[in-house]
Amino acid sequence: MRDTVFRRKGGWIPNVIREDDELKLMLGAGADANHAPRTFTFSIGEAHLAVIREDLARHLLLWSAVLPLCDAAGTQGRLDENAAVALLDPILLSAPADVDALFQRIRWDRGRLIAHGADIDLLERGQVCAAMRAATETSDGRRAQEYHADRRRAERGVVLGPLDAALLMYTGQYLHGSTVPRRVPDAVDPALLPEVMRVIASAEQACAGMRIGRDPHRGKRATDKLAWDRMATTVDAAVRRAHPELVDDAVRTVSFLMCSEAAAHSRSTPMEDDEEAAGDRADLGESARKTILSFTDDKGVERKWFADNPRTATAEFWEFVGDRSAADNEVFTIEDEEMGEGIQLHFYADSIARITTVHEGEGASDPEYQVEYSLVDGIGGYRNLVSAFVRGGCAALEQHGPWMTDAAEFERARRRRNAHQPQREPAHTLSEGPL
């Protein structure tokens, strides 16, 4: 039989219950293997109950000291009840100086006390009883989160000024730096908001006209990493010049905001519009002379584009790449059978091959092909090459060279490039065969 003897308003503050004629403190803490909350109990006396009823500060201090014991129990272990009981008299019945001394020797949950209004400066000085004079039954979890965020920054040697903190608040990254940034002007002190907006304006001016396109070979929603890095570098430099007093965390959150917004815009743009924004508008008119193109991947899957398709050939190809690309599927081909030419994209090696038919096969003889290789600078380079091929075939790629016919020579060039820009090793070597 279990009856509740005493309960405070705060839902998680430990309750006092009577179970089989015995007083116990009951608290929820941690979770079991199924992520359900665990409940712990341990015995207390009438004198302890009297203090818990009358003294919120001591009640919260006891809770803070018992929580580490609950954490130690894990998902299945038992609470060390002897250790919990041993905390009762020193916390509930001792003089404030003795309580302060105890908290210098034991583990305790600082964040729990801060959430319930503890004075942070006094806590830091070890005066836990004095810190709890302003304690409240209601909890402010955000106050504890901000404290822990400041502690993590302090461990890295970062001290925020008022404008630094305001910028992190504006982007929603004050508590967690990995949170996708957004604009939250209401979170900023109105007195600091004009300064924040001046910093944001500096960033916006620096990256005006820049974009972060999509990178279909990394997935339908992936964006161009090189373009992201270029924009971030540009914004960082501009903000540091205009506002040299800002710490790195504040500068990074501004560049992260600019890049995230540019990438989000790209993801929400239809592929045709995305191609147009990338400067491929000419493809809409000139690709009409192509009657049919064949797209294939490294798994033998094929998709054809016809001249009467309402979508551009480049948009169709990149959608095909987005649908099919995977860690074990990184070679894609565009072939113009009528012209006897095509290109093969090697995403695993940042390279491309252009293949042209030198002689058609006659009788039992096979066709003769010329295969030429070139290095590619990221997804932006691939976009330019694909668009050029769709518009003008292999001849239009000449200006995008140099092109090498010797595969071994090209492989050496690729490795020299990678020595200066380390990349993952290719899953397989370049092929000299036809499409």
Side-chain angles (χ1 to χ4, degrees):
M1 186 70 175
R2 174 183 294 179
D3 297 314
T4 299
V5 176
F6 177 72
R7 171 181 291 163
R8 292 192 182 275
K9 294 178 182 177
W12 288 98
I13 299 177
N15 300 328
V16 177
I17 63 170
R18 191 179 299 278
E19 190 172 51
D20 298 329
D21 292 330
E22 184 178 7
L23 285 176
K24 293 184 178 182
L25 195 72
M26 183 176 72
L27 68 156
D32 61 21
N34 295 319
H35 307 291
R38 296 199 69 190
T39 300
F40 301 93
T41 63
F42 61 95
S43 298
I44 66 171
E46 292 288 350
H48 304 134
L49 171 60
V51 175
I52 289 171
R53 282 184 185 276
E54 299 300 325
D55 195 330
L56 170 63
R58 298 279 181 134
H59 190 180
L60 294 173
L61 287 169
L62 177 62
W63 184 24
S64 172
V66 173
L67 281 172
L69 300 177
C70 298
D71 292 338
T75 59
Q76 295 181 326
R78 294 174 58 84
L79 175 69
D80 185 343
E81 294 187 27
N82 291 331
V85 170
L87 293 169
L88 292 170
D89 287 358
I91 293 177
L92 297 179
L93 305 179
S94 298
D98 294 331
V99 176
D100 290 348
L102 173 69
F103 272 69
Q104 296 294 318
R105 304 191 303 269
I106 65 172
R107 292 178 58 213
W108 49 286
D109 191 323
R110 189 182 305 263
R112 193 71 59 174
L113 300 183
I114 291 171
H116 281 271
D119 184 298
I120 295 175
D121 290 338
L122 291 175
L123 280 186
E124 297 287 359
R125 295 203 293 267
Q127 298 173 265
V128 294
C129 288
M132 297 306 293
R133 288 173 185 158
T136 61
E137 288 193 26
T138 56
S139 173
D140 182 357
R142 185 178 178 84
R143 186 170 188 258
Q145 289 178 321
E146 290 177 358
Y147 169 78
H148 287 304
D150 288 337
R151 284 283 293 250
R152 290 193 297 270
R153 279 187 281 267
E155 290 170 359
R156 295 189 284 113
V158 176
V159 179
L160 300 179
L163 182 55
D164 300 314
L167 284 165
L168 290 167
M169 290 290 189
Y170 179 83
T171 61
Q173 289 201 296
Y174 190 94
L175 300 181
H176 304 289
S178 59
T179 302
V180 176
R182 60 195 188 283
R183 301 189 186 223
V184 194
D186 290 345
V188 179
D189 181 345
L192 285 171
L193 188 57
E195 283 190 77
V196 168
M197 297 314 298
R198 279 193 288 272
V199 176
I200 298 301
S202 299
E204 291 173 336
Q205 291 168 10
C207 62
M210 299 183 73
R211 62 184 301 276
I212 300 176
R214 278 181 282 185
D215 187 352
H217 101 272
R218 294 175 52 234
K220 281 194 167 185
R221 292 185 55 77
T223 49
D224 185 346
K225 184 179 184 301
L226 291 178
W228 180 295
D229 291 343
R230 282 193 294 269
M231 181 178 288
T233 299
T234 300
V235 172
D236 276 12
V239 171
R240 290 181 197 279
R241 283 195 305 270
H243 309 277
E245 75 281 7
L246 295 177
V247 302
D248 288 348
D249 285 28
V251 175
R252 278 196 297 267
T253 199
V254 174
S255 62
F256 193 9
L257 175 66
M258 297 297 112
C259 292
S260 294
E261 290 182 340
H265 175 74
S266 180
R267 293 189 193 102
S268 64
T269 301
M271 188 65 75
E272 289 87 348
D273 296 336
D274 186 49
E275 290 297 319
E276 181 179 346
D280 298 325
R281 180 67 183 177
D283 177 51
L284 292 174
E286 296 187 41
S287 65
R289 64 189 181 85
K290 298 283 188 182
T291 57
I292 182 172
L293 292 175
S294 176
F295 310 145
T296 56
D297 65 5
D298 213 16
K299 302 294 186 181
V301 174
E302 181 180 28
R303 181 181 298 177
K304 289 189 180 293
W305 176 86
F306 298 93
D308 60 355
N309 192 315
R311 303 186 68 199
T312 66
T314 50
E316 280 286 320
F317 172 73
W318 288 117
E319 182 168 291
F320 176 67
V321 172
D323 289 338
R324 298 291 305 161
S325 184
D328 61 346
N329 192 24
E330 295 191 283
V331 178
F332 288 80
T333 299
I334 307 176
E335 184 178 4
D336 185 338
E337 296 180 9
E338 183 178 354
M339 298 296 294
E341 59 184 13
I343 54 174
Q344 191 174 70
L345 286 61
H346 313 120
F347 290 123
Y348 65 90
D350 284 336
S351 66
I352 190 171
R354 66 174 180 176
I355 305 166
T356 55
T357 303
V358 178
H359 296 295
E360 296 287 351
E362 296 181 4
S365 64
D366 292 329
E368 181 182 346
Y369 299 99
Q370 176 175 286
V371 182
E372 302 168 281
Y373 302 101
S374 185
L375 297 172
V376 182
D377 183 18
I379 192 64
Y382 279 118
R383 281 179 177 271
N384 291 335
L385 289 162
V386 168
S387 295
F389 175 77
V390 168
R391 293 196 299 267
C394 282
L397 299 176
E398 192 62 37
Q399 61 179 314
H400 296 282
W403 296 90
M404 289 172 261
T405 57
D406 188 311
E409 177 189 354
F410 173 73
E411 186 67 17
R412 288 191 293 272
R414 189 185 68 82
R415 291 186 182 278
R416 284 194 300 271
R417 186 268 314 270
N418 289 353
H420 297 288
Q421 298 177 343
Q423 297 180 8
R424 59 198 174 110
E425 283 298 309
H428 49 284
T429 57
L430 294 170
S431 168
E432 294 188 61
L435 301 180

